[in-house]
Amino acid sequence: MKQPIASGKKARKSTAAWGKGLVFPLVVIIIWQIVSSSGLVSVTVLPSPLQIVTTFYHLIISGVLLEHLQISIYRAAAGFLLGGSIALILGFLVGFSKQFESYLDPTMQMLRTIPSLAVTPLFILWFGFDELSKILLIAFASFFPLYVNTYNGIRSVDMRLFEVAQVLEFNRWKKLTKLILPSALGHILVGIRLSLGIAWLSLVVAELMGSSSGVGYMIMDARQFSQTDKVFVGIIIFGVVGKLTDSLVRLLEKKLLKWQTNFEGVE
């Protein structure tokens, strides 16, 4: 009987948290609607929430929004998978081996300080305006958060655990799978969250590189014709999809790290 009661309490807490999270956006939307309806601000500058919802509906019905969104999700996912895969491999190698750290980490730390905007012209010169340049730019930006967190996760493993592994005569594979990976998993998942966020942010920059499709292109095209409501739709789409991907990783964290007991804040 205790387990259903506990799960019920958790469900109520989760619902209450969601409810509290909606309070501030709802207050902003109500004030926004009042200001827009009163005519204090031009519709071109600040369209009302109702007008944005209407535009959103028409874009969905026409299929334009879904078409742009599919392309943007493909670019962000491809860039993240490419950059994230390399980050995990190099993060494990550098974290696990001092030799790899000596050879690779100084270069990685130098490249980490270069802004994505700074390499954008170079990517255009090298790869043109095709999909490859956009995906590589997203991969470049999303690489470093996951690399750094993977490295830090491995190096934060308690040395006493390695002493236990030595007593149990673990080989390198067992050390990696039974000791290092479970201990570093929290850091790695944080790195995935950060990399996904950076990938989604870099997508906007990538879609300004002579693109003719995608949500970023839709925003820029709407700006040229002063369609502010359409610009807001694109911005909201970026925010909603970014929040959904972040929530999915947080859900994954709860599933994979349920054995950890961490401080969750005071009521």
Side-chain angles (χ1 to χ4, degrees):
M1 289 297 290
K2 288 184 179 180
Q3 191 171 357
I5 293 172
S7 61
K9 284 183 179 179
K10 284 185 178 180
R12 284 195 295 273
K13 280 186 178 180
S14 179
T15 305
W18 272 98
K20 289 176 183 177
L22 291 173
V23 171
F24 181 70
L26 286 174
V27 171
V28 171
I29 290 169
I30 291 168
I31 296 172
W32 182 357
Q33 182 64 43
I34 293 170
V35 171
S36 300
S37 301
S38 64
L40 294 172
V41 183
S42 170
V43 176
T44 307
V45 176
L46 188 67
S48 68
L50 287 176
Q51 186 179 346
I52 294 169
V53 170
T54 304
T55 304
F56 180 77
Y57 172 76
H58 288 307
L59 287 171
I60 289 180
I61 294 300
S62 63
V64 172
L65 183 59
L66 292 177
E67 182 182 345
H68 286 304
L69 183 58
Q70 285 176 354
I71 294 168
S72 290
I73 289 174
Y74 162 73
R75 288 169 179 160
F80 167 74
L81 288 174
L82 177 61
S85 300
I86 298 171
L88 279 173
I89 293 169
L90 291 183
F92 269 109
L93 289 174
V94 172
F96 197 64
S97 168
K98 286 186 177 180
Q99 290 293 329
F100 277 106
E101 182 185 11
S102 299
Y103 285 110
L104 294 176
D105 193 58
T107 304
M108 294 297 106
Q109 296 303 329
M110 182 189 68
L111 291 174
R112 186 171 65 89
T113 61
I114 301 174
S116 300
L117 284 172
V119 299
T120 301
L122 194 60
F123 277 45
I124 293 172
L125 287 171
W126 284 351
F127 308 108
F129 292 101
D130 294 336
E131 291 297 309
L132 180 61
S133 61
K134 298 173 181 60
I135 291 171
L136 289 177
L137 181 64
I138 295 168
F140 175 82
S142 61
F143 167 86
F144 296 103
L146 185 51
Y147 166 79
V148 171
N149 277 276
T150 302
Y151 168 81
N152 287 338
I154 292 172
R155 289 302 173 91
S156 65
V157 178
D158 195 334
M159 273 301 299
R160 287 172 294 184
L161 295 177
F162 282 97
E163 292 172 4
V164 173
Q166 191 171 0
V167 171
L168 295 173
E169 298 182 350
F170 278 10
N171 56 28
R172 285 201 168 190
W173 177 249
K174 277 192 174 181
K175 282 182 182 178
L176 182 64
T177 56
K178 303 291 185 182
L179 172 62
I180 295 175
L181 186 56
S183 299
L185 192 56
H187 286 80
I188 293 170
L189 289 171
V190 170
I192 289 173
R193 284 180 64 188
L194 293 173
S195 290
L196 277 171
I198 294 294
W200 200 240
L201 291 172
S202 303
L203 177 67
V204 181
V205 179
E207 291 185 338
L208 300 181
M209 295 164 52
S211 181
S212 59
S213 59
V215 178
Y217 164 77
M218 185 185 78
I219 291 173
M220 292 303 297
D221 185 61
R223 180 190 63 83
Q224 291 179 355
F225 294 100
S226 298
Q227 297 173 323
T228 317
D229 51 349
K230 202 171 177 181
V231 172
F232 270 104
V233 170
I235 293 170
I236 292 167
I237 287 295
F238 275 124
V240 169
V241 176
K243 172 59 179 171
L244 285 174
T245 53
D246 185 73
S247 296
L248 284 173
V249 179
R250 290 192 70 176
L251 185 64
L252 191 63
E253 278 183 344
K254 288 182 179 179
K255 295 288 185 183
L256 296 177
L257 301 176
K258 58 185 177 181
W259 52 274
Q260 287 186 350
T261 53
N262 296 323
F263 176 64
E264 296 181 352
V266 296
E267 292 290 340

